[in-house]
Amino acid sequence: MSRRPHPPHRDVEQLVDALIPAPLPGTPPQPAPLPTLPSPPNQSTHVLFDVARPDAAGRVTARPLLRALGWTPGLALHVDVVHAAVLITPTPAGAHVVGTREELPLPAAARHLCGITAGEPVLLAAFVGRDLIVVHPSNTIAAALAGLHARILGEPR
């Protein structure tokens, strides 16, 4: 029986100080606090949006907004123009009503004062806590967003 030769003896491995970082002095840094979630919207300022196109008679369909407000067909409404927008509020003595297909009336005089034309989009903003809808014509929205769009696109004002 022959013996196998033993492998050559290697030196014991030693750690090289340059490869091991020295411990940091002092206490470890504290982790950053977790971000806080935004608080739920205040019902008095909670706003829902929709876009619609008035038909030739000046009606706009707004089912999601009407349902969020609890407005049902036949509900009497007051329609007024304030700052080039149509303001719609429920009132027992209102001259207008929510239509049977859940549409809102935009009277001709209000459309004329705001520059709303049939087929052109309008922005509907339902203020849930205040029980009202504001209808903004597209020209007003375009003007209001012009500065923001210029900044986004990097254009001079």
Side-chain angles (χ1 to χ4, degrees), residues 53-117:
R53 294 178 185 270
D55 63 14
R59 295 177 301 240
V60 292
T61 303
R63 286 182 186 96
L65 301 183
L66 294 176
R67 290 177 183 169
L69 291 168
W71 295 7
T72 56
L75 177 70
L77 302 171
H78 176 73
V79 179
D80 199 3
V81 174
V82 179
H83 299 290
V86 180
L87 179 66
I88 304 172
T89 55
T91 181
H96 307 280
V97 296
V98 174
T100 57
R101 292 182 297 220
E102 297 179 291
E103 69 266 0
L104 291 171
L106 299 178
R111 292 193 316 268
H112 179 71
L113 286 170
C114 296
I116 296 173
T117 58

Side-chain angles (χ1 to χ4, degrees), residues 3-55:
R3 295 178 123 189
R4 291 186 189 180
H6 292 290
H9 182 48
R10 294 187 177 154
D11 292 333
V12 177
E13 292 182 19
Q14 294 182 358
L15 300 175
V16 179
D17 288 339
L19 300 176
I20 301 173
L24 296 174
T27 61
Q30 295 297 318
L34 293 174
T36 58
L37 294 174
S39 59
N42 181 345
Q43 286 295 62
S44 65
T45 59
H46 186 62
V47 183
L48 299 173
F49 296 100
D50 200 357
V51 175
R53 294 178 185 270
D55 63 14

